[in-house]
Amino acid sequence: MKHDMITEIENLENWLTINEIQVSTYIPKDKINHRGIQASRVIDNIINAIKIGDLNAIELGCDLVVLNRHIPFGRTLKSNIFSSLKAQAQYISSEYRKKLTNLATVFINLPYPPRESKELFKLLSKFENKYRLEVINNTNSNTREAKRWVSYLKSRP
C-alpha cells in the first residue's frame, strides 16, 4: 500500500513538473511538509480557478483528468475537476471534448466504472450531441451502470 501512495504522489508531481510554467500561479504560498497534500493543494487551486472561468486552469484540469493516472485523493480531485468543468463546458476545446469523450467511453465499458465517472457523464451532457452519441454508440457493456448512463446521455437535449 505504501508503494501505491508513493507512485500516486510521483504521478502527480511528474505532471506538475511537466506543466511547471502553467501551474506556477496555482502553487499555494504556504508549504505543507507532506508531498501528497502539498501537490494536491495545487490541484485544489486549479479547481477553484476553473470555477471562475480561468482558461489556463480549464486546460490544465482537462489535461490532468484525460491522463487518467492514479494520483493522491484522485477520486475526489477528478470528480471536483469534472464538476467544475461543467459550468465552463463552453470553454473546453474540441480536442479536449474528444479526449473526454474517449475517457467516458473507456469508463462506461468497465465492469465497475470509477466513482468520478458520474461527474464525467454529467460534464458530457453539456457537450454537443455528437460527443454523447460517440459514447452511446461505442458502449459495449451490458452492466446496469452502463445502461443507466446510456439512458442518461440519450435523455439530454
Side-chain angles (χ1 to χ4, degrees):
M1 184 67 178
K2 187 175 175 95
H3 171 71
D4 289 341
M5 181 54 103
I6 290 170
T7 302
E8 289 179 4
I9 291 170
E10 287 171 351
N11 284 342
L12 184 51
E13 287 176 338
N14 288 340
W15 182 83
L16 290 169
T17 301
I18 289 166
N19 295 285
E20 185 176 11
I21 294 170
Q22 295 96 317
V23 301
S24 61
T25 57
Y26 309 109
I27 297 171
K29 303 275 183 261
D30 56 323
K31 298 275 185 220
I32 290 184
N33 195 15
H34 185 285
R35 289 170 54 200
I37 294 173
Q38 182 64 30
S40 67
R41 289 175 68 221
V42 177
I43 306 308
D44 286 335
N45 288 343
I46 290 171
I47 291 166
N48 290 331
I50 291 170
K51 290 177 182 175
I52 59 169
D54 180 318
L55 298 179
N56 182 52
I58 290 167
E59 190 168 306
L60 286 167
C62 288
D63 186 66
L64 181 60
V65 293
V66 297
L67 282 177
N68 198 25
R69 302 302 276 301
H70 289 282
I71 59 172
F73 317 108
R75 285 186 186 118
T76 301
L77 291 175
K78 291 175 188 176
S79 291
N80 291 343
I81 290 170
F82 290 132
S83 180
S84 300
L85 287 170
K86 259 190 331 209
Q88 309 302 335
Q90 71 271 27
Y91 300 118
I92 298 173
S93 70
S94 58
E95 177 189 348
Y96 276 121
R97 287 174 189 240
K98 180 71 176 140
K99 289 179 179 181
L100 290 163
T101 301
N102 292 343
L103 181 62
T105 302
V106 168
F107 282 178
I108 205 167
N109 285 305
L110 291 173
Y112 302 100
R115 195 176 313 143
E116 63 267 20
S117 61
K118 174 182 180 181
E119 294 301 328
L120 174 56
F121 292 125
K122 288 180 177 181
L123 170 60
L124 231 61
S125 75
K126 302 292 184 188
F127 294 172
E128 298 88 342
N129 198 39
K130 68 177 183 176
Y131 297 104
R132 294 190 299 277
L133 285 174
E134 175 98 8
V135 175
I136 292 165
N137 293 335
N138 289 294
T139 299
N140 304 316
S141 176
N142 248 348
T143 66
R144 192 165 51 201
E145 181 92 354
K147 289 176 184 174
R148 185 167 71 93
W149 285 115
V150 165
S151 174
Y152 172 81
L153 292 172
K154 283 181 176 177
S155 71
R156 301 294 102 190

